[in-house]
Amino acid sequence: MTEDELPTTGPAITVKGLVSRFGEKVIHDGLDLVVKRGEVQGVVGGSGSGKSVLLNTIIGLKTPDGGTVQVFGQDIQRASRRKWSAIERHWGVLFQQGALFSNLTVRENVAAPMYEHTNIPKRVVMELAELKIALVGLPANAAHLKPSELSGGMRKRAGLARALALDPELLFLDEPTAGLDPIGAAAFDELIKDLSDSLDLTVFMITHDLDTLYAITDRVAVVADKKVVANAPVRTLEKSKHPWIREYFLGPRGRAAVRSATKAETMV
């Protein structure tokens, strides 16, 4: 296997014994998580539980204070510069606010990762960027707009198009439906599910949206007590005895999401 190649089998992500600190404050203490390839993995937890810290650690924005993080079987702390570049080319990230470059058009934003990581000619890059824009359901004219000219939902789709620019195997999503109305959120859920199925993506998704969890996830990891206290399908989590899980999934909003999901299942 060369430095540019990655294993094609095994888990997409393996976190073992993760310790995360900010000064004296311990966020994670011995956190373990395995994300299987080809699944939509949800991540939930209370405010301050460290969901975003976990994501940032996996993608290398925060250094672990203990434990190990492997992506595609590679220890991200020990990977060479060339191997790290190969890992980055195999994932895409959609941050909560899209994180688009405000002075670039949508097409230029989507093209940016291709310029950074490939030697594809400019004409082909622009064609590929337009293809990704269409793939996420944006109209063709959106390619020439700046982020400030887009609605919230369109900005999320533009950010998703950029995350898909390099045809990743692994997609990270941070609160993808936050700020969207219920119709827009449901449409975005459907888009993620369709892309996951058609492109054989592994999706790591932080969300508090119960409708999303029921609609598209295969498993949901619950971050509480500085660890992952459960990682299972939502229907299994409903039976958990853990107090936070019970309150989250069996509270009024959780029961409403269950009713909605059950109704959708009976209509299929």
Side-chain angles (χ1 to χ4, degrees), residues 1 17 83 102 105 134 148 157 162 172 188 247:
M1 183 181 298
K83 182 66 77 174
S102 60
T105 65
S148 61
R157 288 176 184 256
R162 189 177 65 181
F172 293 97
F188 202 85
E247 182 179 359

Side-chain angles (χ1 to χ4, degrees), residues 9 57 67 86 88 93 128 148 172 177 201 225 265:
T9 59
T57 303
E88 280 193 307
V93 185
L128 289 172
S148 61
F172 293 97
T177 59
L201 290 170
D225 308 324
E265 289 166 3

Side-chain angles (χ1 to χ4, degrees), residues 131-146:
L131 177 64
K132 302 300 181 182
I133 290 167
L135 185 66
V136 299
L138 286 172
N141 70 310
H144 309 289
L145 300 177
K146 298 286 184 67

Side-chain angles (χ1 to χ4, degrees), residues 2 5 13 76 86 128 139 211 267:
T2 69
E5 294 178 320
I13 302 169
I76 63 169
L128 289 172
D211 289 330
M267 294 175 64

Side-chain angles (χ1 to χ4, degrees), residues 43 81 96 109 118 120 150 177 184-185 192 230 234 266:
V43 179
R81 184 183 297 273
Q96 191 170 149
N109 267 283
T118 75
I120 300 173
L150 303 175
T177 59
I192 295 299
V234 286
T266 59

Side-chain angles (χ1 to χ4, degrees), residues 35-51:
V35 178
K36 296 182 178 181
R37 290 182 190 246
E39 292 195 343
V40 177
Q41 173 75 63
V43 179
V44 300
S47 178
S49 62
K51 304 182 295 297

